[in-house]
Amino acid sequence: MSGRPRKGRPVAFAPITPEPVQPDPVLGLKFTIEARHGGTVLVDMAALDPRPLAIAFAGALRRSAALGGPIGAASVIKQYVNAYRLFFAWLGDEALNVAGVSDLRAVHIDGFASALDQRGMGAIHRHITVGKIVNTLRAIEADRPDRIAPDLHERLRYTLATSAGRSTPRDAYSPFVARTLRDAARADVEAIFRRLGADDRTDESDPAIARARADVEAIITRQGFIVVDHPALKSLYFMRMRRGLPISTLIDDLHGRHHLLARDLP
């Protein structure tokens, strides 16, 4: 091997074919979201106008429905899209100067809420619908604070100035079933009242058992209970067993005259 350097060769690189640019799936305003609960949701916001605002709302919805986001159910995603349609329809009628997020003001949120009220939408439903618009704008602000006007920033601190009111859920049972359940419950309560503090005449026909039972009752009255291995209770238990009397619920029967039992709670 000589000490002289060998003549080098020019380096040749294989031609690089650039990968085609993948379009942003949100820009099409028609995309799918894999919800954490409820499966895949096809979101179609292509008809919403103005388009820049729709793109911002679509991006916020995707981020909110991603892993770790506040929206996890497919049904809730659909509710958001429905709220968007109502909001954009109102903007198209009442706020033609709005083109993007930076054009939105607090008056637009309040005007939309007033329009829903005038249409007869209930307080709770109105609160939920406006809340979805507010939540979306909060998500946009978290990603791009510079796009939110100062007065809208203040407005996003709350959903509506008025209370949502109390809900009136539909009865889970028919009137007949509900009446039957109420009657049965009242009968149970009345039976409990009759049982508590009633005179015990169960074993009065047998003086020996009656005396043993009185000893047990005295202990329960004094300390509120009697343990299963107490001599007085064991004596009463075996006396009844030898005579063929019921013993399977003896401990509950004895305590049931003094306080509620576990079976009373339901």
Side-chain angles (χ1 to χ4, degrees):
M1 181 176 180
S2 64
R4 290 178 299 174
R6 299 171 63 180
K7 185 178 180 180
R9 293 179 298 175
V11 177
F13 294 96
I16 299 176
T17 303
E19 295 183 0
V21 177
Q22 297 294 329
D24 187 340
V26 172
L27 295 181
L29 293 176
K30 190 173 182 179
F31 51 91
T32 59
I33 296 178
E34 286 292 336
R36 298 193 295 276
H37 311 287
T40 303
V41 180
L42 174 62
V43 177
D44 188 354
M45 298 172 55
L48 301 187
D49 190 65
R51 185 178 177 85
L53 184 63
I55 290 173
F57 271 56
L61 179 61
R62 284 178 61 94
R63 291 190 299 274
S64 297
L67 186 64
I71 305 175
S75 60
V76 178
I77 295 172
K78 296 175 183 177
Q79 292 170 11
Y80 268 82
V81 176
N82 289 335
Y84 295 168
R85 291 181 180 135
L86 292 175
F87 182 57
F88 277 74
W90 179 83
L91 289 175
D93 293 334
E94 304 293 338
L96 296 177
N97 60 323
V98 173
V101 175
S102 59
D103 299 320
L104 286 175
R105 298 293 184 271
V107 67
H108 296 125
I109 305 298
D110 294 330
F112 176 57
S114 297
L116 296 178
D117 186 20
Q118 293 171 6
R119 286 176 48 181
M121 182 178 287
I124 294 177
H125 190 190
R126 185 170 67 252
H127 196 278
I128 293 173
T129 302
V130 176
K132 287 176 170 39
I133 305 302
V134 171
N135 289 342
T136 301
L137 291 172
R138 287 171 179 168
I140 293 173
E141 182 179 39
D143 186 57
R144 288 285 304 276
D146 57 300
R147 302 177 70 183
I148 301 296
D151 83 312
L152 181 59
H153 167 76
E154 295 298 321
R155 178 59 182 80
L156 295 181
R157 294 186 178 187
Y158 61 94
T159 300
L160 288 176
T162 57
S163 170
R166 298 182 62 180
S167 63
T168 53
R170 181 179 301 173
D171 289 338
Y173 301 106
S174 68
F176 171 76
V177 173
R179 184 171 60 254
T180 303
L181 289 173
R182 284 194 297 268
D183 291 344
R186 291 191 182 103
D188 284 346
V189 173
E190 291 171 0
I192 291 172
F193 273 100
R194 288 195 301 269
R195 187 192 75 210
L196 293 172
D199 292 337
D200 186 4
R201 302 180 181 277
T202 305
D203 296 312
E204 64 179 359
S205 60
D206 189 322
I209 298 183
R211 286 192 298 270
R213 192 180 191 93
D215 292 340
V216 172
E217 294 280 1
I219 295 172
I220 297 176
T221 300
R222 185 170 61 252
Q223 63 184 29
F225 65 94
I226 187 170
V227 295
V228 294
D229 58 350
H230 193 284
L233 179 59
K234 292 171 68 176
S235 175
L236 175 62
Y237 181 90
F238 287 114
M239 290 174 68
R240 291 181 60 84
M241 184 177 65
R242 285 193 295 268
R243 289 164 173 77
L245 300 173
I247 55 175
S248 59
T249 61
L250 178 61
I251 190 73
D252 280 351
D253 294 340
L254 291 167
H255 287 91
R257 293 181 54 253
H258 299 269
H259 46 68
L260 293 174
L261 304 173
R263 67 170 182 258
D264 296 325
L265 298 180

